[in-house]
Amino acid sequence: MTVGGGISSVQDFERVLSCGADKVSVNTGAIKNPGLIPEAAKLYGSQCVVISADVKRVNGQFNIFARGGRDDTGIEAISWIKKCVDNGAGEVVLNSIDTDGVKRGFDLDMLESVCEVVNVPVIASGGAGSIEDFITLFKTLPKVDAGLAASIFHFGEVAIKDLKIEMSAHNIPVSL
């Protein structure tokens, strides 16, 4: 279980880990305090430090956004994510603001750019609208470790069981 939201200190890491979380996801807290990731990784191990990156294209560049995607930091995303991983983040959740909620598929270009520079698990977020979007994701970018979706499940547009069966039929590793 990964817990995030409002994480800005190693004390926040301690609080959620002591409540049973396996991993802690941080975005704005790491932007405000870049030393948070290496400090947390040293204390708890890289396997529990997840950099959550809200990214949007701005003037032809991928930029990091803070506060749930509301504030453009002006930080170039790919180098920022690489720096976070180099400093101890053991996983990346990449949320494409451009595709989030659009339901026309994951941002494959953005995901590929991140996969090229890191050697940790990458979780795709933002854009899933159908079972085919997951099939396309994993067939196109086998380096992506997981696909995250919410509304298509909440609103019953896709059943998790159906998605898993279809993924298995396409030889995409999934637990049934």
Side-chain angles (χ1 to χ4, degrees):
M1 174 181 285
T2 303
V3 175
I7 305 297
S8 61
S9 68
V10 291
Q11 291 78 17
D12 292 331
F13 271 77
E14 177 63 31
R15 179 176 44 82
V16 297
L17 292 170
S18 67
C19 289
D22 299 303
K23 299 177 183 190
V24 180
S25 174
V26 61
N27 179 18
T28 302
I31 294 165
K32 289 181 178 178
N33 175 13
L36 179 58
I37 289 174
E39 187 178 359
K42 181 178 179 184
L43 288 170
Y44 307 110
S46 291
Q47 79 287 344
C48 89
V49 180
V50 178
I51 184 64
S52 177
D54 292 330
V55 181
K56 181 177 180 167
R57 287 169 181 80
V58 177
N59 298 322
Q61 169 179 288
F62 294 129
N63 278 13
I64 290 287
F65 277 66
R67 296 184 346 107
R70 291 186 297 271
D71 297 341
D72 183 355
T73 66
I75 298 170
E76 192 279 319
I78 307 306
S79 59
W80 167 253
I81 293 167
K82 182 179 183 334
K83 178 181 176 184
C84 290
V85 169
D86 290 346
N87 285 330
E91 188 171 294
V92 176
V93 174
L94 181 66
N95 180 48
S96 171
I97 295 171
D98 295 321
T99 60
D100 196 20
V102 178
K103 297 184 183 180
R104 292 193 182 135
F106 294 97
D107 195 327
L108 300 178
D109 293 334
M110 185 183 293
L111 286 158
E112 182 175 30
S113 294
V114 170
C115 287
E116 287 176 356
V117 300
V118 300
N119 290 323
V120 298
V122 174
I123 290 81
S125 176
S130 68
I131 288 174
E132 188 57 40
D133 291 336
F134 285 91
I135 305 303
T136 300
L137 169 67
F138 295 117
K139 289 295 187 180
T140 305
L141 297 173
K143 285 184 173 182
V144 170
D145 293 270
L148 188 157
S151 64
I152 62 170
F153 301 125
H154 294 312
F155 299 124
E157 297 165 24
V158 172
I160 294 170
K161 182 179 179 181
D162 293 343
L163 172 59
K164 288 179 146 192
I165 290 168
E166 194 64 25
M167 287 174 63
S168 180
H170 282 85
N171 298 314
I172 298 167
V174 63
S175 61
L176 293 174

